[in-house]
Amino acid sequence: AREVVSDRALRALLAEAASPDADGAVVSLVRELLTVADGSFVPIVLDLFVRGNAAAFGDAVHSYLTRSAENNEEVLAAAFAEADLDPGLALVRILGRLATPAAREAMLRAAESPHAVLRIEALSHADAGSERLRLELRALIEDPSPEVRSVALRTIRERQIRAAGPYLAMRVKSAGFDKLALEERRQILFSLAALAPARAEELCVEILEDSRLLTLGSHEDSRALAAEQLGHLASSRDSLAALEDACTGRFRYSERVRNSAVSARELAVVRLSLQPAAPRSSSTPLPSDGVADPSDSAAFRRGS
């Protein structure tokens, strides 16, 4: 490709194609060049990509970098120092598909990013079971900033980062859980349910049954949230019994909790009635605690 266009000429073409009033012919020419170019142009193309100036032909740039990433891992790694969130995530995913030692080393550079989502993404690709990832997850889940915690929870759910499960459970059981904003408590329970439904179900039953002589409205809100979540999670007689008790217990449950439990119980009964019956085995008895969700893995049933 260098026989056709020099570095200087390619920079000029890229700059012209990236301008708001770029000529369609120039954009088409750049697309064609990126289709046939070898990996020697990665630094030039990467510079444009990191600065977010390739909207008109971003797919061609992404395809070129994906095709040329191998043997250019160090060049991509250096780009994380200036990369914003979206191009940074794209680069991490390109490196993640390579799955080479050099790519994993490059992603550790992304783990130094100021963007929480990018750090989680990089570490989960580089080593999903690493102590560093676990420490990073805990720090983000407990970050002083509600915005950072919210982004972390969303990323954990979307990426299904199971290593976060124990820290989410710790957050639920912590003394400060009731003090969190109501929506954050809902997102924590929702995220834990997405990663470890059996553990989330167990904790929701605990919260729902945790009546106190002197209780605050925030704790009653947590109990109502737990009942709400059980409507989607309940898979055992214990969980259904907890919801049934909450529907009728006027001394141990506030009206807010009772109303939530009534709706949740109706949802749980309908949901379980629509599930196919679990296959019976003559040698293996059914669990004594009732119907298990057939989508749960053994690890989830253990509450991991």
Side-chain angles (χ1 to χ4, degrees):
R2 287 184 182 276
E3 297 174 359
V4 178
V5 61
S6 66
D7 288 2
R8 182 177 179 180
L10 180 61
R11 285 186 188 277
L13 281 171
L14 289 172
E16 185 176 349
S19 66
D21 55 348
D23 184 271
V26 175
V27 174
S28 296
L29 176 59
V30 167
R31 285 179 172 278
E32 291 178 14
L33 283 173
L34 292 177
T35 300
V36 299
D38 59 25
S40 60
F41 290 125
V42 165
I44 299 171
V45 176
L46 189 59
D47 180 59
L48 184 80
F49 182 71
V50 166
R51 288 187 283 111
N53 292 338
F57 49 97
D59 56 336
V61 169
H62 189 276
S63 296
Y64 171 75
L65 291 175
T66 300
R67 191 178 73 252
S68 308
E70 192 166 3
N71 300 320
N72 281 293
E73 292 92 342
E74 182 57 33
V75 180
L76 269 63
F80 287 119
E82 299 179 2
D84 205 350
L85 179 57
D86 288 339
L89 286 172
L91 291 179
V92 164
R93 289 161 188 166
I94 287 172
L95 289 166
R97 284 192 285 270
L98 281 182
T100 61
R104 284 192 290 273
E105 285 296 318
M107 284 187 288
L108 291 178
R109 299 275 287 278
E112 307 297 333
S113 168
H115 301 290
V117 176
L118 188 50
R119 294 199 301 272
I120 294 176
E121 185 86 17
L123 287 170
S124 63
H125 273 292
D127 188 353
S130 72
E131 181 64 19
R132 185 176 176 185
L133 172 60
R134 288 191 287 271
L135 292 174
E136 182 74 32
L137 288 168
R138 182 170 186 175
L140 291 171
I141 290 168
E142 299 176 358
D143 193 275
S145 167
E147 291 78 14
V148 171
R149 297 196 302 268
S150 176
V151 170
L153 288 171
R154 185 174 67 249
T155 304
I156 286 166
R157 287 195 305 274
E158 291 175 353
R159 293 279 300 121
Q160 286 286 294
I161 303 175
R162 293 171 61 92
Y167 300 117
L168 292 174
M170 288 170 59
R171 191 72 160 161
V172 172
K173 291 178 72 66
S174 70
F177 183 69
D178 289 340
K179 299 177 183 178
L180 298 173
L182 184 63
E183 183 57 28
E184 182 172 357
R185 280 177 274 168
R186 176 180 283 109
Q187 292 305 314
I188 290 172
L189 290 175
F190 183 55
S191 299
L192 182 59
L195 300 178
R199 180 59 172 148
E201 181 179 356
E202 175 186 312
L203 288 177
C204 284
V205 171
E206 288 182 17
I207 295 171
L208 180 59
E209 293 180 337
D210 183 14
S211 63
R212 301 174 183 178
L213 185 61
L214 295 175
T215 188
L216 299 175
S218 59
H219 181 61
E220 291 303 283
D221 286 340
S222 292
R223 298 176 77 194
L225 284 176
E228 176 187 302
Q229 193 65 56
L230 281 174
H232 302 279
L233 288 174
S235 64
S236 70
R237 293 190 185 99
D238 287 344
S239 296
L240 291 175
L243 286 173
E244 182 67 35
D245 187 49
C247 290
T248 57
R250 294 190 176 276
F251 296 104
R252 296 179 57 229
Y253 302 92
S254 65
E255 183 179 2
R256 163 93 169 88
V257 175
R258 289 198 304 273
N259 290 340
S260 185
V262 169
S263 299
R265 184 185 179 280
E266 292 175 355
L267 176 61
V269 169
V270 171
R271 180 176 54 80
L272 290 172
S273 70
L274 296 176
Q275 289 181 353
R280 295 178 179 271
S281 168
S282 58
S283 59
T284 305
L286 288 173
S288 60
D289 64 347
V291 182
D293 186 340
S295 67
D296 285 355
S297 67
F300 278 176
R301 289 197 297 273
R302 290 195 299 272
S304 61

